[in-house]
Amino acid sequence: MGSFEYLRITGLSYGFSYHDFVLEGVNLSIPRGRFVSLVGPSGSGKTTLLKLLCGIYEPWNGDIEYISNDCDSIFYYPSVGYVPQIETIDWNFPVSVQEVIAMGSWNYKSYLPWIDKKLKNQIKDVLKILGLSGYEKRHIRALSGGEQQRVFLGRALIKNPDILILDEPTTGLDYVSREKIFDILKNLNNNGMTVILSTHDITHIANRSPWVICFNKYVIAEGPPQDVLKEDNLLKTYGLSDYKIK
Amino acid sequence: MIDPLLPFEYEFFIKGLVVSVLLGGICGLAGVYIILRGLSYVGHGLSHAAFGGAIVGNIVGINYYIGAIIWSYLASFVIYEISKKNTIKPDAAIGLVTTAIFAFGVLLVSMTNKYTRNFESLLFGNILAITEQDLYIIVSVTMISAVFFFLLHKRLVFSFFDNESAKISGIKTSHIELLFSFVLATIIIVSMSSVGVTLLASVIVGPAISARMLSNNFSNVVFLSIIIGSIASFSGMYASFFLDSSSGPTIVMFITLGFGITALYALFKKIYHSHSHGGISHSHPHLHTDEHRHEHKHS
Ligand SMILES: Nc1ncnc2c1ncn2[C@@H]1O[C@H](COP(=O)(O)OP(=O)(O)OP(=O)(O)O)[C@@H](O)[C@H]1O
Ligand SMILES: [Mg+2]
């Protein structure tokens, strides 16, 4: 089996319609334990890239390889926790906090329809990490935006994944909620989890991440924020020259 | 003087009652998953497809159930494939595919004039015409589907709630959804001969939406929907004996009545909400909206 060592993306392309590439020639390598912020304008393909990493889409071209420290295992696939952009969630769905978090374990738990004692305890532990103790029975609608975001983080964490992938985890949140999430992620990362997130918040999230990727169809620049978040890179990423043409 | 126990002296009535309660329960159960998957129209649609299949089967000379199963499985598969692409909503796909199959069946009937099994009983249902064979099939289908929902509950809920995350989590969402639509098609086929093609939609959707108004908890919704479905079917069946009415429409009336009562109850609960502030418990009418929330301590 082996454990996750690094992620290698080579020549990755993808699109939703012919001749229209959303991603074009993405090359990227992310070692274990990195905390990565992916920044880029709306429509630059951040969500698409994250979904490709999770295996929701198949690459048109190129490879996404997860490499383990055991070189012989060709079919290695790490455990990935995904936190979707929560705007896509149907908040009227009749599920409680506890049920949402439990979902993260449904592919390997038993076929019985209820949540067993052991899992209940695991959920309790996760809720504690998230600062949501006592929220088990709440309906997901009866939560603030920041709490909702943390519940979905909890669902990804319940199986203790090697890699945590989050799509805009702080969008629409106030200062305190955003800081809470950032602190939780930093803590998880300090304990060895690889974190990859997309964000529009350059000042508060990207700027404080150890590693930043400027992205627009492909990787424009990457490295520590003080080296990457400079005017020329941002100009290239946010494509101001593009606006002039249009 | 009417004897309330009179209907129970008739074997055909007891058989009909068992069938309608079983079907009311299983349709109530399946209905919850159907509305949450956004497939409210599926009962209506698939029953039309099955009707077309039953006719074709009859003309070709195969068993009613086999004809209906082949056609409605085919229909569910096509619907599943079309709506998987996400560009067409499932309900639109259902409307198109199943009406075409239904029309094809009717077309064949009009051309050949060979149809023997009672047309009308398929359209409007006739619980009293249920044969021994039908009864066995209904009991088995009810049990098998109940087991299906019991065992796949968690995976179904996750797939319906958040399909992509379910996939990432390692759940074979497409297998589960296809299996789900086959189970639905089967339930619909067996319900058809007693409730009728034209009335099925209500039996499937009615109890589920009533139950949904009463609770935010999935298990409770499922439980309530089964109860509402079976009680309405029982009452409809029982009432039809004294009213001398057809059982299918009477059951639908009771389901609608159940929906009306729950809707009123839910509205009343929303307006007339009791709560306590600082130990003083009181109730007063007011509407709860999203902007307006306050902490409640129910005692
Ligand atoms: N399912 C889809 N079908 C067709 N086109 C899509 C689909 N999903 C995304 N796109 C297109 O792909 C491009 C990239 O979208 P993507 O969601 O990856 O952007 P993003 O960087 O995440 O943007 P944002 O910051 O606004 O979330 C956009 O032009 C979008 O219109
Ligand atoms: Mg996005």
Side-chain angles (χ1 to χ4, degrees):
Chain A
M1 259 308 277
S3 63
F4 172 65
E5 205 49 43
Y6 66 100
L7 159 64
R8 184 171 60 200
I9 305 173
T10 36
L12 174 71
S13 307
Y14 187 80
F16 293 96
S17 59
Y18 259 135
H19 307 303
D20 196 7
F21 287 89
V22 171
L23 305 181
E24 206 168 2
V26 181
N27 293 303
L28 194 59
S29 182
I30 298 175
R32 181 184 60 196
R34 187 164 272 179
F35 188 118
V36 185
S37 282
L38 199 59
V39 299
S42 222
S44 57
K46 301 183 296 295
T47 300
T48 309
L49 178 64
L50 296 183
K51 285 184 178 174
L52 275 151
L53 295 185
C54 298
I56 292 182
Y57 304 142
E58 292 287 321
W60 276 4
N61 269 314
D63 292 304
I64 297 172
E65 296 161 288
Y66 288 95
I67 298 167
S68 81
N69 54 5
D70 172 6
C71 306
D72 293 336
S73 57
I74 318 164
F75 297 110
Y76 171 75
Y77 196 77
S79 148
V80 176
Y82 178 65
V83 184
Q85 221 166 332
I86 62 167
E87 283 92 277
T88 59
I89 299 298
D90 171 11
W91 298 108
N92 275 325
F93 209 89
V95 280
S96 65
V97 168
Q98 179 169 269
E99 285 164 325
V100 169
I101 294 182
M103 284 175 187
S105 66
W106 282 165
N107 71 321
Y108 57 88
K109 282 278 170 183
S110 79
Y111 281 84
L112 297 175
W114 47 78
I115 298 170
D116 63 30
K117 191 104 199 142
K118 195 168 144 243
L119 183 55
K120 268 189 189 152
N121 285 329
Q122 274 173 282
I123 293 171
K124 229 184 212 133
D125 294 343
V126 169
L127 284 176
K128 205 167 180 185
I129 295 173
L130 301 172
L132 292 174
S133 294
Y135 279 55
E136 283 91 339
K137 297 273 184 254
R138 285 264 193 117
H139 181 240
I140 49 166
R141 208 199 178 126
L143 298 170
S144 74
E147 290 163 349
Q148 287 172 336
Q149 186 72 55
R150 278 180 276 158
V151 169
F152 283 84
L153 176 55
R155 185 178 70 182
L157 288 179
I158 191 79
K159 61 178 169 184
N160 195 20
D162 300 314
I163 306 174
L164 190 59
I165 294 180
L166 309 98
D167 200 357
E168 297 190 24
T170 60
T171 297
L173 303 185
D174 71 352
Y175 173 79
V176 176
S177 310
R178 190 182 62 216
E179 290 305 298
K180 256 186 207 154
I181 289 188
F182 190 73
D183 287 346
I184 294 167
L185 295 179
K186 281 301 281 190
N187 263 326
L188 291 167
N189 181 245
N190 288 339
N191 292 323
M193 199 176 286
T194 309
V195 176
I196 304 172
L197 60 84
S198 75
T199 184
H200 284 294
D201 191 344
I202 292 180
T203 26
H204 298 103
I205 303 292
N207 211 8
R208 286 150 69 206
S209 312
W211 197 267
V212 178
I213 298 173
C214 287
F215 190 84
N216 195 344
K217 277 194 172 178
Y218 50 89
V219 176
I220 287 165
E222 64 168 323
Q226 62 273 19
D227 301 340
V228 172
L229 295 175
K230 292 207 208 110
E231 206 183 321
D232 55 334
N233 282 334
L234 291 176
L235 257 157
K236 261 190 254 168
T237 310
Y238 286 86
L240 292 178
S241 51
D242 251 22
Y243 285 109
K244 277 177 202 151
I245 297 166
K246 278 173 193 167
Chain B
M1 185 58 204
I2 312 168
D3 177 7
L5 292 179
L6 179 67
F8 296 101
E9 282 166 21
Y10 298 95
E11 204 196 308
F12 72 84
F13 179 80
I14 294 177
K15 204 162 68 183
L17 200 64
V18 170
V19 166
S20 52
V21 169
L22 280 178
L23 292 181
I26 198 70
C27 287
L29 172 62
V32 177
Y33 296 89
I34 290 173
I35 58 164
L36 289 171
R37 178 67 184 80
L39 289 174
S40 305
Y41 199 54
V42 82
H44 185 78
L46 279 183
S47 57
H48 280 68
F51 177 78
I55 292 172
V56 174
N58 198 284
I59 287 168
V60 180
I62 49 174
N63 180 282
Y64 152 78
Y65 282 110
I66 295 176
I69 280 187
I70 293 173
W71 281 70
S72 50
Y73 277 22
L74 204 70
S76 356
F77 185 72
V78 174
I79 292 164
Y80 162 82
E81 282 295 324
I82 293 178
S83 54
K84 206 168 61 176
K85 306 270 183 289
N86 263 334
T87 37
I88 300 173
K89 284 240 188 279
D91 275 2
I94 292 167
L96 185 71
V97 173
T98 57
T99 315
I101 296 181
F102 178 71
F104 185 60
V106 176
L107 184 83
L108 280 185
V109 171
S110 64
M111 275 165 59
T112 58
N113 268 330
K114 235 179 95 184
Y115 195 67
T116 50
R117 190 174 168 130
N118 195 348
F119 221 145
E120 228 169 84
S121 85
L122 276 187
L123 280 178
F124 303 107
N126 188 356
I127 286 187
L128 303 180
I130 295 273
T131 65
E132 200 91 324
Q133 185 205 18
D134 293 333
L135 184 67
Y136 290 136
I137 289 177
I138 288 170
V139 172
S140 339
V141 167
T142 306
M143 284 188 330
I144 293 168
S145 338
V147 170
F148 166 82
F149 285 115
F150 184 83
L151 294 180
L152 282 179
H153 170 81
K154 294 192 293 201
R155 287 157 180 82
L156 281 169
V157 171
F158 195 3
S159 313
F160 293 175
F161 178 57
D162 186 352
N163 194 281
E164 287 185 337
S165 300
K167 246 184 241 165
I168 293 169
S169 215
I171 291 175
K172 304 259 178 300
T173 53
S174 44
H175 295 184
I176 286 179
E177 295 217 359
L178 195 59
L179 200 59
F180 171 70
S181 48
F182 287 164
V183 169
L184 290 189
T186 315
I187 292 175
I188 285 162
I189 291 166
V190 300
S191 313
M192 218 167 73
S193 48
S194 44
V195 190
V197 172
T198 47
L199 304 173
L200 238 164
S202 152
V203 183
I204 287 186
V205 175
I209 53 174
S210 309
R212 180 66 191 88
M213 284 190 300
L214 296 177
S215 175
N216 260 336
N217 176 297
F218 205 109
S219 319
N220 290 349
V221 175
V222 165
F223 181 72
L224 287 168
S225 182
I226 294 173
I227 299 287
I228 294 172
S230 346
I231 290 180
S233 302
F234 181 95
S235 322
M237 190 66 202
Y238 186 71
S240 74
F241 183 89
F242 293 104
L243 297 172
D244 201 14
S245 57
S246 355
S247 44
T250 320
I251 289 173
V252 170
M253 285 299 116
F254 272 88
I255 288 173
T256 317
L257 183 70
F259 175 75
I261 294 171
T262 32
L264 279 178
Y265 173 77
L267 184 70
F268 181 76
K269 212 174 88 179
K270 204 171 170 188
I271 295 175
Y272 206 77
H273 207 115
S274 53
H275 49 225
S276 58
H277 304 287
I280 304 160
S281 183
H282 63 269
S283 8
H284 58 87
H286 64 271
L287 273 170
H288 283 240
T289 60
D290 278 348
E291 301 80 47
H292 160 110
R293 272 187 198 160
H294 49 196
E295 287 299 316
H296 293 265
K297 274 192 218 134
H298 293 279
S299 42

